[in-house]
Amino acid sequence: MSVEPRFLQIHALTPYAAALLNRDDVGRAKRLPFGGAERTRVSSQCLKRHWRRAVDEWSFDQLGVPLAVRSRITFRKEIAEPLVAEGLPVDLVVTVVAALQAKLLGESAKAEKERSQKKGKQGEDSASDPLERLDTNQVIVLGRPEIEFIKNAARDLARDSAAVKDATKAAETYIKDNRANLEALSKASGLDGALFGRMVTSDYLARGDAAVHVAHAFTVHGEEAEPDYFTAVDDLRQSAGEMGSGLIATSELTSGLFYVYVVVDVPLLVSNLEGCDARGWRDADRDLASRVVEHLVHLIASVSPGAKLGSTAPYGYAELMMIEAGARQPRSLANAFLRPVPTRGDLRANAFRGFGEHLAGFDRMYGRRELRRFASMVDPGALPADPAEGLDALAAWAAGLVRDGGAAA
């Protein structure tokens, strides 16, 4: 069957025991009502952050493309402080960096003035670092090439006393004059910006739509949670003959088999990485995009979204991974678990069977138009997909589809 790999849909089933993977605002596990039952949930933001920050043979930093910097203090830490360290006066640096910041982030003059006054007042009240006026109210995503561009611009403007007198106008002129250079920056928003997108409101920084879409993971069965009563023993008090309890507290532990769903928009991924039109993705260099997909598959299978590492060691690998490649609109298979999987008996076998039965039902109604392969630790039963010889082969197959544009499918 010849299929254009317009979308790659990645499904995973991963179990965790006695963990607290993702907490809400009061420290409990995140939850989600679905199918009349409460489920334990892991947010997509949590998943993406752990995939971005993973350090192993398949981490994104092994691809040779710098990741973006996501922070509210990027303009202070990555741009202003290095210029001050070079010997430029603090007041000049703050003036020109603030002007560039307002222009690049699409901040109105009124908003910029209010922000500066607010930051300035806060600085006066607390005698804090004047560079803190450059901190933004929101997390900003900037690629390393963009950071270097802004730093070089600020250095040039700060050394020009005439420019500093009207920093706002000078910043606007500088960016307009160098706009072509900014737009030509290769992989400007960083690798993770190309994958997970970036929202900006200015006309100068490239707005990036996410090429990798990540659903919130949830347990395929009703929640399984247990309050964890624990104490911390005070060694010195115990040595003195007392009971030795220094702390008594409770936390929450959960267990579950999680369904994970990820979609890769292949033309958009190639476009974000190579700067080409998404409609011309087949004519672009697809080597980096294919390697990104291979790494992503491994990360989804093996990187745990865990908190409380020291007390729960929440490390788990997917026990079933299935990838679909096709051109029609993606659809989640979450409804395979609309009815909570019974936990009595073999939960894993019940979940795998339900997953396969739902997919077969989908095929009967809509037809099978995707290429499918899976890797599994156990026999998944009647799953309408072709087996791969392990995760390495599955990831390499998906990468190959991107590399050759589906020509060999």
Side-chain angles (χ1 to χ4, degrees), residues 9 11 259 320 322-324 328 331-337 351-374 380 382-386:
Q9 300 183 76
H11 311 266
Y259 171 65
L320 173 66
M322 186 183 79
I323 300 178
E324 301 177 280
R328 66 177 167 182
R331 47 72 189 113
S332 167
L333 295 176
N335 283 348
F337 311 111
F352 285 16
R353 182 172 57 253
F355 184 70
E357 290 174 351
H358 180 77
L359 183 56
F362 181 89
D363 287 349
R364 285 193 299 273
M365 183 167 181
Y366 292 100
R368 178 175 174 177
R369 300 176 192 168
E370 288 82 18
L371 299 172
R372 293 183 192 136
R373 290 196 186 182
F374 72 92
L383 183 64
D386 300 321

Side-chain angles (χ1 to χ4, degrees), residues 102-121:
K103 186 58 57 182
L104 289 168
L105 299 184
E107 200 172 40
S108 68
K110 180 180 178 182
E112 193 276 335
K113 184 178 180 180
E114 291 176 352
R115 179 179 59 78
S116 297
Q117 290 176 339
K118 182 179 179 181
K119 295 283 186 183
K121 189 174 185 305

Side-chain angles (χ1 to χ4, degrees), residues 44-75:
S44 59
Q45 297 90 338
C46 176
L47 293 168
K48 288 185 283 189
R49 175 170 175 78
H50 283 84
W51 298 338
R52 283 199 308 267
R53 310 271 303 177
V55 179
D56 68 11
E57 62 178 320
W58 294 106
S59 57
F60 287 133
D61 61 7
Q62 300 293 320
L63 293 167
V65 179
L67 297 172
V69 177
R70 294 170 179 264
S71 177
R72 294 176 57 241
I73 61 174
T74 300
F75 282 88

Side-chain angles (χ1 to χ4, degrees), residues 132-151:
E132 291 182 4
R133 294 175 57 183
L134 301 172
D135 295 352
T136 54
N137 295 326
Q138 297 178 334
V139 172
I140 304 298
V141 180
L142 289 176
R144 284 291 173 189
E146 292 170 331
I147 291 172
E148 288 304 309
F149 175 89
I150 299 168
K151 188 161 62 179

Side-chain angles (χ1 to χ4, degrees), residues 35-344:
E38 203 77 11
R39 317 294 182 95
T40 308
R41 173 174 64 93
V42 178
S43 71
S44 59
Q45 297 90 338
C46 176
L47 293 168
K48 288 185 283 189
R49 175 170 175 78
H50 283 84
W51 298 338
R52 283 199 308 267
R53 310 271 303 177
V55 179
D56 68 11
E57 62 178 320
W58 294 106
S59 57
F60 287 133
D61 61 7
Q62 300 293 320
L63 293 167
V65 179
L67 297 172
V69 177
R70 294 170 179 264
S71 177
R72 294 176 57 241
I73 61 174
T74 300
F75 282 88
R76 170 161 56 103
K77 286 294 184 181
E78 298 290 332
I79 298 170
E81 287 187 357
L83 294 178
V84 172
E86 292 177 12
L88 291 170
V90 172
D91 57 339
L92 295 185
V93 169
V94 170
T95 299
V96 297
V97 173
L100 289 165
Q101 181 186 66
K103 186 58 57 182
L104 289 168
L105 299 184
E107 200 172 40
S108 68
K110 180 180 178 182
E112 193 276 335
K113 184 178 180 180
E114 291 176 352
R115 179 179 59 78
S116 297
Q117 290 176 339
K118 182 179 179 181
K119 295 283 186 183
K121 189 174 185 305
Q122 289 175 342
E124 292 170 4
D125 293 343
S126 62
S128 59
D129 186 345
L131 296 180
E132 291 182 4
R133 294 175 57 183
L134 301 172
D135 295 352
T136 54
N137 295 326
Q138 297 178 334
V139 172
I140 304 298
V141 180
L142 289 176
R144 284 291 173 189
E146 292 170 331
I147 291 172
E148 288 304 309
F149 175 89
I150 299 168
K151 188 161 62 179
N152 291 336
R155 183 186 295 110
D156 292 346
L157 292 173
R159 287 173 176 170
D160 183 349
S161 58
V164 174
K165 291 179 181 177
D166 191 350
T168 301
K169 184 176 180 181
E172 182 176 3
T173 302
Y174 187 99
I175 293 173
K176 283 184 176 178
D177 291 345
N178 292 275
R179 183 169 186 164
N181 295 333
L182 179 60
E183 292 175 346
L185 293 175
S186 176
K187 303 171 182 62
S189 62
L191 179 61
D192 46 342
L195 269 65
F196 303 120
R198 175 175 71 172
M199 177 62 189
V200 293
T201 56
S202 81
D203 295 329
Y204 299 102
L205 296 177
R207 179 180 184 275
D209 291 329
V212 178
H213 312 157
V214 182
H216 291 230
F218 65 91
T219 53
V220 302
H221 48 80
E223 68 170 321
E224 293 186 310
E226 174 78 11
D228 178 35
Y229 170 87
F230 63 93
T231 63
V233 177
D234 186 323
D235 292 342
L236 295 183
R237 285 183 177 274
Q238 193 174 47
S239 299
E242 301 179 19
M243 293 298 291
S245 176
L247 170 71
I248 298 176
T250 59
S251 181
E252 183 177 45
L253 294 178
T254 64
S255 298
L257 179 61
F258 288 78
Y259 171 65
V260 182
Y261 177 58
V262 178
V263 177
V264 181
D265 184 330
V266 176
L268 185 56
L269 177 62
V270 175
S271 173
N272 287 354
L273 292 172
E274 303 302 331
C276 65
D277 190 309
R279 290 169 294 187
W281 72 281
R282 286 178 179 276
D283 299 324
D285 184 345
R286 300 186 296 276
D287 180 67
L288 177 58
S290 70
R291 290 190 291 129
V292 166
V293 166
E294 186 171 22
H295 281 239
L296 180 63
V297 171
H298 279 277
L299 292 172
I300 293 171
S302 61
V303 173
S304 300
K308 297 176 74 73
L309 300 180
S311 57
T312 66
Y315 301 108
Y317 280 23
E319 300 200 353
L320 173 66
M321 289 279 291
M322 186 183 79
I323 300 178
E324 301 177 280
R328 66 177 167 182
Q329 284 297 304
R331 47 72 189 113
S332 167
L333 295 176
N335 283 348
F337 311 111
L338 181 60
R339 182 178 183 181
V341 176
T343 54
R344 286 178 297 180

